[in-house]
Amino acid sequence: MRQDSGMATLASIRTPAPPTLRIGELSRLSGRSVHTIRWYESQNLMPGAARDAGGQRRFSQDHVAWLGLIDRLRASGMSVRDMQAYARLVRQGKPALAECRHLLQQHREKVRQRALELEAALALVDTKIALYDKWIARAEPQALRR
């Protein structure tokens, strides 16, 4: 099998998983639709698939893990542009390890800041719920007197 468009993954730093999965199997294992996987490929968000002798794309367990990572990055607020930059760096392999780390460190700081903001918002919501609990508790005895 040959690698499509010369793309590699961090798997090139270790022994990569063999590409045996068809796109439908990748979809089932990853929980992403075939359409989503193809969109990720078109946006250069995924390492290239190997091709078998018949030209069919083949994916590996590394692709399943990669899709999980992309979903977590997206859910944590990373932009498509930053995910594309990260994917480009990953394809470079060992020479770009420090840059990959730096990009993720920057994203981590943004996620950490957002988590602090959400914690503050949650504390305010908890305070409001406690206030309503007090109001309801005060109102219930009066309702029973009627």
Side-chain angles (χ1 to χ4, degrees):
M1 290 191 198
R2 65 179 172 79
Q3 187 72 14
D4 189 29
S5 68
M7 298 171 90
T9 68
L10 282 180
S12 64
I13 297 168
R14 60 174 174 70
T15 304
T20 59
L21 305 172
R22 293 181 178 187
I23 195 164
E25 294 167 304
L26 177 62
S27 172
R28 182 179 54 78
L29 290 171
S30 68
R32 280 49 158 214
S33 70
V34 168
H35 175 78
T36 297
I37 293 168
R38 287 184 176 142
W39 185 83
Y40 283 167
E41 285 184 303
S42 74
Q43 297 301 306
N44 294 315
L45 291 174
M46 246 180 83
R51 301 266 179 179
D52 65 16
Q56 296 289 313
R57 291 180 300 173
R58 296 285 188 235
F59 300 90
S60 72
Q61 288 297 324
D62 292 334
H63 288 95
V64 176
W66 180 263
L67 287 170
L69 171 64
I70 290 297
D71 272 359
R72 297 312 176 289
L73 293 175
R74 188 186 66 205
S76 64
M78 185 178 275
S79 68
V80 170
R81 178 175 287 147
D82 284 348
M83 286 189 294
Q84 288 169 327
Y86 178 68
R88 270 192 306 277
L89 291 169
V90 168
R91 286 190 294 272
Q92 293 175 24
K94 287 180 184 179
L97 289 177
E99 290 176 87
C100 285
R101 184 190 183 287
H102 179 73
L103 191 148
L104 288 179
Q105 186 66 37
Q106 287 180 318
H107 180 65
R108 182 188 184 284
E109 183 55 34
K110 290 176 188 175
V111 171
R112 191 188 65 73
Q113 185 60 42
R114 181 68 179 138
L116 291 173
E117 293 168 2
L118 288 172
E119 285 178 23
L122 182 60
L124 178 61
V125 169
D126 287 343
T127 299
K128 284 296 194 181
I129 290 171
L131 184 58
Y132 280 101
D133 287 343
K134 287 180 186 177
W135 289 341
I136 291 169
R138 287 183 197 153
E140 285 177 355
Q142 293 174 6
L144 293 175
R145 291 185 210 151
R146 293 183 190 186

